Amino acid sequence: MNDPSSTSTVVESIKSAFSGLSNAERLVARSILSDYPASCLGPVAVIAKNAGVSAPSVVRFAKSLGYSSYIEFRDAVLSELAQQSKGPLDRARQLKVDGDLPRVREKMEILLSTATRNLAAIPDTEWDSLATMLADTGKNIFVAGGRFSTAVARILALNLQLLRPGVILLDDLDQRDKGILLDMNRKSVLVVFDFYRYQKSVIKAAHVARQKGATIVLISDGDISPISADASIVLPVSTTSFLPMSGLSTATTIIEILLGDVYAKIGKDASTHLAQWELFTGDETLQ
């Protein structure tokens, strides 16, 4: 999970300290990591509002990282930005976009840099907790998304179904899946993909599931969905795209890496389940 390009020692210090932060300080950390470094360069009042906490909580967050004040924390960020101004992401953004094939390569470099930066911003404790939770066959895993983000939710759900039992994709939250939400309990995990503009039905579904005792995992963009108030784990991902709509490349990349860790944690039972799946569906394909 370490960023090979050394995104910033400030990011690493946040990730290292994450497990020891208070609940309010974790909200600040998640908000900052969701859109680092832009998210932490404003006034304390703005940082607090974005994180949904009080201004003193933001100051306590900075002090928990070893800084004497939030201003000192912000200065450290600015100092690192100055040192890294010629880093790979910055170079990718400044590349010319004229021409044919080079333009494609340049776009790919930007996408890869964005995915790397997002992965580096996820605290190890959050990542490990999620992988362990998804590998726990004693829990029932439900995966949902909005009208647009259901596309990525489906990728996660379908692949998890290959590795373990008890995985259900919820793709009709307005109607058919309401009963499933009401039946959730403490053994339920609801993984929700929710990107701007946040969908009311998805937000309501997460809130109902949380009230029923389910653990909520949120995968959201830099603005962070209102579902974060109900979520125990939040993975911030970029939806930056060259298209006029939100992109899903970073979310898809993170899902594939996550599935690899889940597979490793399940162990031989995952291979057995996969083999059974192959036998069951073997006559549906040409090979």
Side-chain angles (χ1 to χ4, degrees):
M1 291 296 298
N2 290 328
D3 179 7
S5 63
S6 186
T7 302
S8 97
T9 57
V10 171
V11 166
E12 291 305 319
S13 68
I14 295 174
K15 291 167 60 182
S16 297
F18 190 85
S19 60
L21 299 177
S22 68
N23 290 335
E25 290 168 354
R26 286 190 178 195
L27 289 175
V28 178
R30 286 169 175 162
S31 179
I32 286 177
L33 291 174
S34 71
D35 191 26
Y36 185 88
S39 56
C40 56
L41 299 181
V44 170
V46 173
I47 308 300
K49 181 179 179 181
N50 291 340
V53 300
S54 65
S57 293
V58 177
V59 176
R60 285 193 292 270
F61 160 78
K63 290 184 175 180
S64 293
L65 297 183
Y67 298 96
S68 62
S69 64
Y70 190 81
I71 293 177
E72 185 177 61
F73 167 78
R74 187 176 60 198
D75 287 345
V77 174
L78 290 172
S79 176
E80 289 186 355
L81 288 177
Q83 294 174 11
Q84 298 167 4
S85 61
K86 296 186 181 299
L89 181 60
D90 185 70
R91 289 197 304 270
R93 285 172 171 165
Q94 294 184 39
L95 288 173
K96 295 180 180 179
V97 293
D98 296 328
D100 297 320
L101 188 57
R103 183 176 181 179
V104 175
R105 290 201 300 265
E106 290 157 5
K107 287 182 177 180
M108 181 60 71
E109 184 174 346
I110 293 174
L111 291 176
L112 291 174
S113 297
T114 300
T116 299
R117 179 166 58 97
N118 278 202
L119 283 166
I122 299 172
D124 291 339
T125 51
E126 298 260 75
W127 183 271
D128 291 339
S129 294
L130 177 55
T132 299
M133 194 181 300
L134 295 181
D136 183 356
T137 54
K139 295 184 179 296
N140 294 313
I141 309 298
F142 302 88
V143 187
R147 184 180 64 84
F148 183 70
S149 54
T150 292
V152 237
R154 185 177 297 274
I155 293 173
L156 175 61
L158 293 180
N159 282 278
L160 277 178
Q161 287 172 351
L162 296 177
L163 303 180
R164 50 154 296 163
V167 179
I168 298 176
L169 174 67
L170 305 181
D171 56 2
D172 189 10
L173 294 173
D174 290 321
Q175 297 296 331
R176 184 187 65 239
D177 297 327
K178 285 184 176 180
I180 296 177
L181 291 169
L182 294 175
D183 290 338
M184 288 189 183
N185 53 45
R186 294 185 181 278
K187 291 185 178 181
S188 305
V189 177
L190 176 59
V191 181
V192 185
F193 293 82
D194 193 29
F195 303 135
Y196 182 84
R197 311 177 174 206
Y198 310 114
Q199 195 166 317
K200 292 181 180 179
S201 61
V202 180
I203 297 170
K204 184 177 181 180
H207 186 63
V208 169
R210 181 69 187 90
Q211 288 181 320
K212 291 295 180 178
T215 300
I216 309 301
V217 176
L218 172 64
I219 300 177
S220 186
D221 51 21
D223 293 323
I224 299 297
S225 159
I227 294 173
S228 60
D230 288 311
S232 299
I233 296 176
V234 178
L235 300 191
V237 301
S238 171
T239 55
T240 299
S241 174
F242 301 105
L243 302 172
M245 67 282 288
S246 296
L248 299 177
S249 59
T250 298
T252 303
T253 299
I254 287 177
I255 287 171
E256 292 204 20
I257 296 173
L258 178 63
L259 284 165
D261 286 0
V262 172
Y263 178 81
K265 286 180 178 292
I266 295 176
K268 63 179 182 180
D269 287 344
S271 297
T272 300
H273 195 268
L274 185 57
Q276 292 173 342
W277 187 276
E278 287 289 331
L279 287 174
F280 183 65
T281 60
D283 59 350
E284 296 177 1
T285 59
L286 293 178
Q287 294 183 349

